[in-house]
Amino acid sequence: MENLTKRDLVVRISNETNLVQQDVLKVIQLTLDHVKESLLKGNAVQLRNFGVFQVQVRKSRIGRNPNRPETDVVIPKRAVIKFKAGKELRERVDQSI
C-alpha cells in the first residue's frame, strides 16, 4: 500500500488539468489552510460525497501506568479530530476490497 502525498496530488492534478504545478500547490495549500482554520474555530468541515471532519473533546479520565499499576495517572481532556466518511466514499471503499 502506497501513501498519497501532497506532492503526488499536485503532480496528478497538474497533469490532468494542464495547470502549472505552483498554481495547483497554492490552491491545495489554501484549501488545507481553510480546513485547518475552520477546525481550530471548532467548526465542522463537510465535503459532500466525501465526508465530515469535526473536532470532538475527550473528557479527562484516570488511566493506569502498566509499569506501575498501583499509580493512577490523570489523562487531561483534549481535542481530537474525527473524520466520518460520506455515504458515497464508504460505498466505494467497500466495493474496492
Side-chain angles (χ1 to χ4, degrees):
M1 179 177 1
E2 190 175 319
N3 294 329
L4 180 67
T5 65
K6 188 181 347 179
R7 179 79 184 130
D8 296 335
L9 280 174
V10 169
V11 170
R12 288 172 73 176
I13 293 171
S14 176
N15 290 340
E16 291 174 17
T17 61
N18 295 320
L19 294 172
V20 179
Q21 287 186 14
Q22 277 299 85
D23 293 340
V24 174
L25 177 61
K26 285 179 189 175
V27 170
I28 290 174
Q29 190 58 54
L30 280 171
T31 302
L32 295 175
D33 289 344
H34 286 294
V35 168
K36 181 176 18 175
E37 181 182 313
S38 185
L39 291 171
L40 288 172
K41 291 179 181 176
N43 300 327
V45 176
Q46 181 176 355
L47 304 171
R48 293 253 179 227
N49 299 322
F50 185 73
V52 178
F53 294 92
Q54 60 189 48
V55 177
Q56 291 183 342
V57 178
R58 286 193 180 159
K59 60 185 177 182
S60 177
R61 59 193 170 92
I62 301 294
R64 302 270 188 264
N65 180 345
N67 295 326
R68 297 181 54 199
E70 68 281 354
T71 307
D72 290 345
V73 177
V74 176
I75 301 170
K77 75 176 184 177
R78 61 183 233 154
V80 293
I81 299 170
K82 298 284 187 170
F83 175 74
K84 182 178 178 187
K87 181 180 177 183
E88 185 176 306
L89 178 60
R90 262 194 331 266
E91 290 172 353
R92 301 251 343 240
V93 169
D94 282 343
Q95 291 172 357
S96 71
I97 56 173

